[in-house]
Amino acid sequence: MAPARGKLGVMLVGLGAVATTTIAGVLAIRKGLALPIGSLTQMGTIRLGKRTEARAPKIKEFVPLADLNDIVFGGWDIFEEDCYAAARTAGVLDPGQLDQVRGELEAVKPMAAVFDQRYVKRLDGPNVKKGKNKRDLADQVVADIRAFKSKHGCDRLVMIWTGSTEVFMTQTAAHASLAAFEKALEQSDDSIPSSMVYAYAAIREGIPFANAAPNLTADIPAMLELAARTKAPLAGNDMKTGQTLIKTIIAPGLKARLIGVRGWYSTNILGNRDGEVLDDPESFKTKEESKKSALDYIFQPHLYPELYKDLTHVVRINYYPPRGDNKEGWDNIDIFGWLGYPMQLKINFLCRDSILAAPIVLDSALFLDLAKRAGMSGIQEWLSFYFKAPMHAPEVYPEHDLFIQLMKLKNTLRFMRGEELITHLGREYYD
């Protein structure tokens, strides 16, 4: 694969809480002011060969990832404030911590965004592009991409949607092929939300693209066709940070022990901009579909009907402004065991949404850049580890088990470097 020489431009769509926390964090880590906790690309190790060989290098020493000092950040937002001001507004990081990287943050100023309030009803802002149709808007985004790359001397680019959750959408005829999609762009078809305009622009330029929200964005036939043509790697959807992360840890354990589940009630309180957006029923529907799918695939009720077929799964999100970015997730899980005796699990996760999301944005960017240099294009299912509703080939079901996802990710890295894939069979130690 090509080495990671030169600058990597990481372009973020939406410079809100997640994006500004990511940027500020990377800047702090570069200055030696913080540890990259939560980042697999920075702190993770990978076992190579047999357990007796004791080979476990850091992932960043095993595969040629871009160096954090070579990353240049940019992006788009509907608000005009620079990244420092946006981070202060988001209220995730302590002002004293932000001030340590203030100059670099202030240098990141948002480009005018493609935005239509019909798709995110609870937000509005002045820094918005105008165009004769959605094809024109896409062309403007392409012009932004090329100008950013030239201005900052970037050798490679990655784009990640870190914007808000859009209203729930399903595939239409406009999404069925690239020709149909480009015609729909010309006609400003309502089935093309803002996120698709960005994805189209990035993929058209051959740039890796990840969707950190649950929107219907890149996982449509038109985008897959375009990605096959331009060799752009794709990943998504919806970063797995809080409550769903816990589900994909707990549910595989229950299933592994064949413990039955009658009900799983999940409720969240969230006070940041994401919570405000999700207070709209149509945006919540998009998030609900993403959050609810994991248990169905992990438990496989069609294979274990006695244990999981009648599971009642309820998901609630409540907008509660006093909580800010400090999301709280409550889970009540009604389980049953031997001879049908009932038991319960109660989980209260008081988490920090953007603190958990930021390392995922960084890892997604670095791994997608790696995939591009390794000649891998289209859906990168090995990055499912990071997403609630992972993209996958249409003929297979998505893998949601966090531990299987991690095994897939690390085996992909071993495969890239010609190392033996690890099956964990281990018979050679006893034969």
Side-chain angles (χ1 to χ4, degrees), residues 34-316:
L35 289 173
I37 296 169
S39 170
L40 196 62
T41 61
Q42 302 306 303
M43 298 190 79
T45 62
I46 181 167
R47 176 190 140 195
L48 303 177
K50 295 178 171 53
R51 280 181 275 167
T52 51
E53 295 177 33
R55 289 195 296 149
K58 284 191 173 182
I59 287 172
K60 66 179 182 179
E61 297 165 352
F62 176 59
V63 291
L65 298 173
D67 190 275
L68 295 191
N69 292 306
D70 294 330
I71 293 178
V72 181
F73 288 103
W76 300 262
D77 201 87
I78 64 173
F79 300 106
E80 296 171 327
E81 56 189 10
D82 62 51
C83 197
Y84 174 77
R88 290 293 300 263
T89 299
V92 177
L93 301 177
D94 181 85
Q97 197 171 29
L98 286 175
D99 286 341
Q100 293 178 306
V101 291
R102 178 171 182 167
E104 296 94 326
L105 288 173
E106 288 178 334
V108 181
K109 295 179 169 60
M111 293 173 277
V114 175
F115 180 76
D116 187 328
Q117 198 177 22
R118 291 178 298 169
Y119 303 105
V120 184
K121 297 183 178 181
R122 297 296 173 94
L123 291 186
D124 197 12
N127 197 34
V128 176
K129 294 185 186 298
K130 299 186 185 303
K132 63 181 180 180
N133 55 34
K134 293 181 179 180
R135 179 60 180 261
D136 182 27
L137 293 173
D139 289 340
Q140 291 182 47
V141 173
V142 168
D144 287 344
I145 291 169
R146 293 176 178 176
F148 178 87
K149 184 177 183 181
S150 175
K151 176 182 177 181
H152 295 283
C154 295
D155 296 86
R156 309 174 314 283
L157 298 172
V158 171
M159 184 188 291
I160 301 180
W161 173 275
T162 51
S164 297
T165 299
E166 295 171 326
V167 298
F168 182 71
M169 302 185 73
T170 56
Q171 290 189 27
T172 71
H175 306 141
S177 69
L178 181 57
F181 186 85
E182 291 182 331
K183 182 178 179 181
L185 280 173
E186 297 277 358
Q187 298 171 341
S188 292
D189 194 299
D190 288 344
S191 64
I192 299 179
S194 304
S195 62
M196 282 188 189
V197 175
Y198 282 102
Y200 170 78
I203 299 168
R204 200 176 92 184
E205 292 294 286
I207 296 170
F209 179 86
N211 179 22
N215 314 326
L216 181 67
T217 298
D219 49 351
I220 57 173
M223 297 296 186
L224 298 180
E225 181 183 342
L226 182 59
R229 182 180 301 180
T230 64
K231 307 302 180 186
L234 307 175
N237 299 292
D238 200 8
M239 291 184 300
K240 182 161 53 182
T241 54
Q243 193 172 62
T244 306
L245 173 64
I246 297 301
K247 284 182 177 177
T248 59
I249 294 171
I250 299 297
L254 295 174
K255 183 193 173 189
R257 287 293 305 273
L258 297 180
I259 294 172
V261 182
R262 289 202 172 93
W264 197 309
Y265 182 88
S266 300
T267 188
N268 301 262
I269 53 176
L270 179 62
N272 61 12
R273 189 179 294 169
D274 192 31
E276 184 178 4
V277 168
L278 293 173
D279 204 34
D280 171 60
E282 291 185 71
S283 288
F284 170 70
K285 174 67 173 173
T286 308
K287 176 67 77 170
E288 181 184 33
E289 291 297 312
S290 173
K291 288 173 73 72
K292 291 184 75 171
S293 62
L295 291 187
D296 293 336
Y297 288 108
I298 291 173
F299 285 136
Q300 296 178 299
H302 61 292
L303 298 180
Y304 303 95
E306 302 89 348
L307 300 177
Y308 310 115
K309 182 175 180 293
D310 297 321
L311 187 155
T312 299
H313 187 195
V314 177
V315 176
R316 297 284 183 266

Side-chain angles (χ1 to χ4, degrees), residues 8-29:
L8 171 65
V10 177
M11 307 192 75
L12 304 175
V13 186
L15 295 180
V18 171
T20 56
T21 302
T22 303
I23 297 170
V26 170
L27 293 173
I29 293 163

